[in-house]
Amino acid sequence: MIQTADRLKTVQEYYFSKKLREVRGLMAQGKPIINMGIGSPDLTPSEHVLKAIQNSVFEAGAHQYQSYQGLPQLREAIASFYNKRFDVTADPATEILPLMGSKEGIMHISLAFLNAGDEVLIPNPGYPTYTSVTNLVGAVPTYYDLTEENGWFPDLEVLEEQDLSKVKIMWLSYPHMPTGATATREQFVKIVAFAKKHTILLVNDNPYSFVLNTDPASILSIPNAKDVCLELNSLSKTFNMAGWRVGFVLGSEEHINAILKVKSNMDSGMFYGIQKGAIAALESSDDWFVELNKVYSARRELIFQLADTLGCSYDRDAVGLFVWAKLPEGSVASEAFIDQILYKKDLFITPGTIFGSNGEGYIRFSLCITEDKIKEAIARF
Ligand SMILES: Cc1ncc(COP(=O)(O)O)c(C=O)c1O
């Protein structure tokens, strides 16, 4: 085998990739596994979204390479969506860049702004990709603690005491995954001021604002936030389009241009039909969100019951696509806990530790599972 690059030593196979292989193996042995691990929406996109992609495939030019910046109509639809839903103004010509899912944006932003040795502030617990991408580009992950006691929001006084001179990017994700915590406007104001003071690029990764959340918020609604902030967003969870791979990043023209410089050297545009479907989704009426949340709300009530059965505690006011539950006092560690349930009850739940050491003592249930399956899971106890 040809020797791989050194950077490959900095990352491991994604936990889900490994664990789901094991789960599939158990299924192949005939085990009736119920998978509550991953946040991949099982519901379908709306009818008008499906019609839009269907109709698009017969249009002239539909199968050619597309613009690196996406269709102007897509950028306009994103701008209108942000204006209507978050009261944020962004220029569709210069301040918005469509992405093939927000996950790729994490890599593009890192390639655009990080040199080897730069430090990156990453939430613990948080989305594991921030760490792996930071490592892949030769930068250095520096974790900040999120705890139940501080409302899963960074303690800026503690951060101020650290040497921040090498920090270039800070990843933020509100509503927070995995805990479902939200940030207040005051907290956003404070953290934007902190980023300005230390010349840090603050990136809010915001794919969960529309799931079980009555007050969607964007960090870009803070005055002059664009000076130091970017925001990633995604159609994956909001419109049940995870497999379509549509996301986008908003920010100042200078920051967006830097990301475009990377991205235009990596892909050759997003399929036309997917862009047409994305436009239709972004134009959805309020009813879409009401109906979506009715389903998730009913599922979440059942997940709460399941968590009660397991003796776990949780925050009923948390938002997003998951229930983050604290294990009962004196319980075994998270990974041992979920393994016991996997092997004894054929139920897969995510251990909190895959999101960082502060996830120890917690487990995460996904709401991407039918009510019948959740009831079946409860019955197994
Ligand atoms: C916090 C967070 N950011 C980003 C993503 C990536 O979403 P996508 O690439 O589908 O837009 C996810 C997906 O699970 C996530 O949980």
Side-chain angles (χ1 to χ4, degrees), residues 231-246:
E231 185 157 281
L232 285 168
N233 213 311
S234 170
L235 272 60
S236 295
K237 325 284 159 137
T238 309
F239 297 107
N240 301 332
M241 291 165 72
W244 287 51
R245 313 308 302 130
V246 189

Side-chain angles (χ1 to χ4, degrees), residues 158-215:
V158 169
L159 280 175
E160 286 286 0
E161 284 165 16
Q162 296 178 16
D163 175 9
L164 300 170
S165 58
K166 287 193 186 149
V167 174
K168 197 75 184 290
I169 289 181
M170 178 172 190
W171 290 102
L172 213 62
S173 156
Y174 289 99
H176 183 244
M177 199 291 299
T179 66
T182 48
T184 63
R185 200 182 153 75
E186 292 69 36
Q187 285 173 318
F188 273 155
V189 167
K190 282 193 184 137
I191 202 150
V192 170
F194 167 83
K196 281 194 185 182
K197 179 176 167 197
H198 296 283
T199 326
I200 294 171
L201 181 67
L202 189 60
V203 193
N204 189 42
D205 184 15
N206 185 4
Y208 296 104
S209 256
F210 298 95
V211 182
L212 296 172
N213 182 17
T214 48
D215 189 18

Side-chain angles (χ1 to χ4, degrees), residues 84-300:
K84 179 170 176 191
R85 306 280 166 199
F86 293 119
D87 201 17
V88 165
T89 309
D91 182 346
T94 57
E95 295 183 323
I96 293 172
L97 183 62
L99 301 167
M100 295 184 204
S102 55
K103 190 173 181 178
E104 75 154 16
I106 298 169
M107 175 58 89
H108 295 325
I109 292 166
S110 300
L111 284 170
F113 292 98
L114 295 174
N115 288 316
D118 283 344
E119 290 180 15
V120 179
L121 286 172
I122 293 175
N124 172 11
Y127 187 45
T129 303
Y130 309 138
T131 298
S132 49
V133 166
T134 299
N135 285 325
L136 281 170
V137 303
V140 183
T142 307
Y143 296 96
Y144 62 84
D145 287 324
L146 299 181
T147 60
E148 206 166 321
E149 294 70 47
N150 62 22
W152 308 107
F153 194 81
D155 186 331
L156 297 181
E157 283 173 23
V158 169
L159 280 175
E160 286 286 0
E161 284 165 16
Q162 296 178 16
D163 175 9
L164 300 170
S165 58
K166 287 193 186 149
V167 174
K168 197 75 184 290
I169 289 181
M170 178 172 190
W171 290 102
L172 213 62
S173 156
Y174 289 99
H176 183 244
M177 199 291 299
T179 66
T182 48
T184 63
R185 200 182 153 75
E186 292 69 36
Q187 285 173 318
F188 273 155
V189 167
K190 282 193 184 137
I191 202 150
V192 170
F194 167 83
K196 281 194 185 182
K197 179 176 167 197
H198 296 283
T199 326
I200 294 171
L201 181 67
L202 189 60
V203 193
N204 189 42
D205 184 15
N206 185 4
Y208 296 104
S209 256
F210 298 95
V211 182
L212 296 172
N213 182 17
T214 48
D215 189 18
S218 162
I219 201 158
L220 299 180
S221 65
I222 304 306
N224 302 317
K226 279 185 211 149
D227 293 349
V228 287
C229 295
L230 292 168
E231 185 157 281
L232 285 168
N233 213 311
S234 170
L235 272 60
S236 295
K237 325 284 159 137
T238 309
F239 297 107
N240 301 332
M241 291 165 72
W244 287 51
R245 313 308 302 130
V246 189
F248 43 91
V249 56
L250 294 92
S252 72
E253 180 173 356
E254 293 77 13
H255 291 152
I256 293 294
N257 276 341
I259 302 165
L260 180 60
K261 218 166 165 176
V262 172
K263 185 170 158 60
S264 59
N265 281 294
M266 296 187 72
D267 66 65
S268 298
M270 191 190 299
F271 176 54
Y272 179 78
I274 289 181
Q275 298 193 65
K276 293 299 258 190
I279 294 167
L282 290 160
E283 289 171 352
S284 299
S285 68
D286 292 349
D287 291 349
W288 167 259
F289 302 95
V290 171
E291 293 307 314
L292 183 76
N293 284 311
K294 258 191 212 158
V295 176
Y296 284 136
S297 176
R299 290 178 177 185
R300 187 170 61 174

Side-chain angles (χ1 to χ4, degrees), residues 73-94:
Q73 303 95 293
L74 174 57
R75 280 180 274 116
E76 277 153 26
I78 294 167
S80 301
F81 180 81
Y82 252 66
N83 197 258
K84 179 170 176 191
R85 306 280 166 199
F86 293 119
D87 201 17
V88 165
T89 309
D91 182 346
T94 57

